[in-house]
Amino acid sequence: MLTDLEEKRGRLRQESHAIGDRHSQLNAEASKWAERRNELNRATEGLIERAKSFKKLRDESNKNVAQSKKKRDECNENIKQLYVKIEDLQKKHNPTGERSIRDLSREIDHLEFRQQTEVLSPEKEKQLVDKISALRAEFKGRKEQLEKSEDMKKLLDQAQALRDQASTYHNQVTRFAQLAQEYHDQMICSFKEADQTRAEADAAQKEFLKAQ
């Protein structure tokens, strides 16, 4: 009888130890998953903040694009008005009906745009470059002729200064637009990473609950 009780007590002690060991194991497992979950949540928060900072930079760049576009368009409008005055004066100094300096300027701009944006064969590109060079020479000659008039020289100088400003603003538009796209891409990437770490944190939370 005593032996049976001792055996029973021994079995209960073993079961108690086993339960205690299992409980400790589950606690350790739960702690591990809780730590992993917290780590992933912190990473998610960091990625979201990073994405927000890229969004702010993108929005600022887009704002700069709009401002530079506005200034560029204002310059172009002022150039247009100046060329109206230039053409009026040119008619007085150009009774032979030669091409206006404005027409030459427009054609040069158009051909330069083609040169920058179109894929041309070497022969076609050489023809285009030669034509641009010829037009520039004609433009220079017409400008020098017109600049003999003090009023005309003043208008041409103003027009050139505005063209330079418009070109600067156009370059700013391009640069800020590129930056805005880069910041946008980085923002999207950060949000995607945040979604991934959030999903991993949710999975860690499920494992934590299982170990409870």
Side-chain angles (χ1 to χ4, degrees):
M1 183 71 176
L2 182 60
T3 302
D4 291 341
L5 287 172
E6 288 178 351
E7 288 179 356
K8 187 175 182 180
R9 189 182 296 117
R11 286 196 302 272
L12 290 172
R13 189 181 297 113
Q14 288 177 352
E15 290 175 3
S16 176
H17 287 162
I19 292 171
D21 290 344
R22 178 59 179 164
H23 184 68
S24 297
Q25 182 182 356
L26 289 173
N27 282 340
E29 189 77 5
S31 295
K32 180 188 76 172
W33 286 113
E35 183 178 350
R36 177 62 176 161
R37 176 202 61 200
N38 294 339
E39 177 186 338
L40 288 165
N41 281 333
R42 286 192 296 270
T44 300
E45 290 173 4
L47 286 165
I48 289 173
E49 288 303 313
R50 183 183 178 195
K52 287 180 179 178
S53 68
F54 283 131
K55 181 180 183 298
K56 182 178 179 181
L57 290 170
R58 181 203 63 183
D59 293 345
E60 288 175 355
S61 294
N62 281 331
K63 183 178 179 181
N64 288 332
V65 167
Q67 290 175 344
S68 296
K69 276 184 177 179
K70 182 180 179 182
K71 291 177 180 178
R72 180 196 63 189
D73 293 345
E74 287 173 354
C75 285
N76 286 332
E77 181 60 30
N78 289 333
I79 291 169
K80 182 179 177 181
Q81 293 174 8
L82 277 174
Y83 271 116
V84 170
K85 296 178 181 179
I86 289 170
E87 286 184 350
D88 288 341
L89 275 177
Q90 187 172 325
K91 288 174 183 177
K92 298 177 182 178
H93 296 278
N94 181 28
T96 59
E98 293 178 340
R99 296 175 70 185
S100 72
I101 196 168
R102 184 183 186 186
D103 288 342
L104 289 170
S105 176
R106 282 176 172 173
E107 187 168 0
I108 290 169
D109 288 343
H110 172 69
L111 294 179
E112 286 179 340
F113 182 77
R114 280 190 58 196
Q115 184 185 16
Q116 294 169 4
T117 58
E118 293 183 13
V119 179
L120 303 170
S121 66
E123 182 181 354
K124 291 284 186 183
E125 185 168 6
K126 184 179 183 304
Q127 291 175 357
L128 190 60
V129 169
D130 290 344
K131 188 170 184 180
I132 291 172
S133 297
L135 286 169
R136 282 177 177 166
E138 185 179 352
F139 178 88
K140 182 181 178 182
R142 293 289 299 124
K143 184 179 178 183
E144 289 174 352
Q145 179 185 356
L146 293 170
E147 283 178 344
K148 292 176 182 178
S149 162
E150 189 64 32
D151 291 340
M152 182 66 78
K153 184 179 185 306
K154 183 178 179 181
L155 290 172
L156 289 171
D157 288 344
Q158 290 176 358
Q160 185 59 51
L162 285 169
R163 281 169 61 85
D164 292 341
Q165 287 182 25
S167 178
T168 297
Y169 290 132
H170 178 73
N171 291 337
Q172 288 179 359
V173 168
T174 302
R175 180 166 59 88
F176 285 128
Q178 289 174 344
L179 283 174
Q181 186 61 51
E182 290 173 10
Y183 291 138
H184 177 77
D185 292 343
Q186 289 174 311
M187 179 195 73
I188 295 298
C189 182
S190 295
F191 274 130
K192 285 183 178 179
E193 288 182 33
D195 288 340
Q196 182 177 348
T197 55
R198 185 185 291 110
E200 292 176 10
D202 290 343
Q205 172 67 4
K206 289 179 181 178
E207 294 298 329
F208 168 75
L209 293 174
K210 286 180 184 178
Q212 288 287 79

